[in-house]
Amino acid sequence: MRIRRHPSSPAVSIRELQYQIQTQDSQPQNILEEIVWHKEKEVDRFRDQTPLSDLQQQVAKLSPPQDFLAALRQGKTTPALIAEVKKASPSKGQFRDTFHPEEIAQAYERAGASCLSVLTDQKFFQGGFEILSQVRESVQIPLLCKDFVLYPYQIYKARAHGADAVLLIAAVLSNQDLAYFMKIIKALGMTALVEVHTLEELDRVISIPGVDLVGINNRDLETFHVDLAVTCSLIDARVNPLRDRGILVVSESGIHGPQDVAAVAQAGAQAILVGESLIKQESDESHFASELERMQTKIDRLFNRPAGNL
Ligand SMILES: O=P(O)(O)OC[C@@H](O)[C@@H](O)c1c[nH]c2ccccc12
């Protein structure tokens, strides 16, 4: 695990030294740590509003989730597309002036996405669980809840708002937590997408029983640096164990054009997760009559297919 879950408390009590240790260790070292430390407080607030037992009762009344992994295996495109409903990011700010999640989600679905990802982190990505619910009402395809999961509570909350799959980030969870959270996700009939960024993390994840869907994030969440070679080198290093275990690999982040899609597909990614390049408002986009037309054009371009070829 690369990330400290909490600010560490000083081990010594000599006053001056304590002051020094506190100032150094009580600052997050990078954005991922900052997000995780803040997430602890956000989850506390959610628990105060709605206890876990209430969420569990809500979840018990829902019809079963859809099979996210099967939708990727069937794939409306090759590789299958998970399109992300993403309003903003901590590094780039807001991607467009007006953001209508239902419209975007419907356009993605009709233009060829096999599944959708919905960001629910409020502070850093301007997402929300109300957006997940709105999207659930607007489309048929399976949904991934994209958040920084630290507690089982968040898994029930995702399900209660209509998610079929939940992201688990190896950089912030121990193996024990990963294995435990996977059990809860499976018991709820959902799919876990386990995200890695390094070979160490991939090795940890491959060793956990029941992992069948792995996301390789091309973006380093500590620095925001994006490199598609991350997907290629990690798959390359572990081709055999990935194949033997029947793990489907999703290449995540920084995919902008047909060359990018071809590169990660060639490396062995069977699905891609794309946010920014689909959602971003370009300066020459005013001529698009509708969100559907916009998304159709962008997705056609991404897969190098003739315009309107759905
Ligand atoms: O907008 P991009 O570069 O296409 O990336 C999408 C997605 O991969 C990215 O949003 C993401 C991948 N893993 C995450 C974990 C948390 C928040 C966000 C993410």
Side-chain angles (χ1 to χ4, degrees), residues 39-260:
K39 188 60 63 182
E40 297 275 358
K41 295 184 209 141
E42 191 186 275
V43 177
D44 280 348
R45 266 206 318 278
F46 284 145
R47 276 190 225 275
D48 288 344
Q49 286 159 12
T50 315
L52 178 61
S53 54
D54 286 12
L55 279 185
Q56 286 171 324
Q57 277 173 20
Q58 288 172 27
V59 164
K61 289 187 202 132
L62 298 175
S63 44
Q66 296 185 51
D67 192 335
F68 191 90
L69 183 57
L72 294 182
R73 288 202 197 284
Q74 278 150 24
K76 292 192 209 163
T77 54
T78 311
L81 172 64
I82 307 171
E84 186 156 277
V85 180
K86 185 179 195 181
K87 184 175 181 182
S89 80
S91 59
K92 308 246 169 96
Q94 260 178 307
F95 292 116
R96 43 160 82 198
D97 300 337
T98 51
F99 180 78
H100 300 296
E102 296 104 324
E103 231 171 80
I104 295 166
Q106 282 171 359
Y108 276 156
E109 178 177 50
R110 292 181 59 190
S114 297
C115 298
L116 301 183
S117 162
V118 182
L119 272 153
T120 48
D121 176 78
Q122 290 176 334
K123 184 172 158 98
F124 297 90
F125 290 86
Q126 298 182 37
F129 284 91
E130 71 291 349
I131 300 179
L132 182 56
S133 297
Q134 285 164 10
V135 170
R136 179 68 296 162
E137 295 295 304
S138 323
V139 297
Q140 304 290 325
I141 52 179
L143 304 182
L144 169 75
C145 175
K146 184 66 110 47
D147 210 317
F148 299 83
V149 169
L150 305 176
Y151 297 101
Y153 181 90
Q154 294 166 275
I155 300 170
Y156 288 94
K157 188 163 174 77
R159 181 66 205 122
H161 287 81
D164 305 288
V166 174
L167 184 78
L168 299 177
I169 304 177
V172 302
L173 296 171
S174 67
N175 280 14
Q176 209 181 357
D177 277 348
L178 280 174
Y180 177 46
F181 292 3
M182 296 241 348
K183 277 195 186 150
I184 296 172
I185 291 170
K186 291 209 170 178
L188 290 173
M190 304 169 86
T191 304
L193 172 60
V194 188
E195 178 176 298
V196 302
H197 178 69
T198 65
L199 190 55
E200 258 175 84
E201 287 169 4
L202 180 59
D203 284 337
R204 277 176 54 204
V205 162
I206 289 177
S207 74
I208 297 170
V211 172
D212 43 19
L213 182 61
V214 167
I216 299 181
N217 197 353
N218 299 307
R219 182 176 292 116
D220 184 338
L221 289 174
E222 294 175 30
T223 61
F224 292 125
H225 181 255
V226 177
D227 186 356
L228 296 188
V230 173
T231 291
C232 307
S233 64
L234 294 198
I235 297 181
D236 206 42
R238 295 294 178 263
V239 171
N240 292 332
L242 286 168
R243 199 190 27 229
D244 296 348
R245 296 277 309 270
I247 293 174
L248 189 145
V249 174
V250 184
S251 182
E252 306 177 352
S253 310
I255 296 170
H256 289 273
Q259 295 91 334
D260 298 340

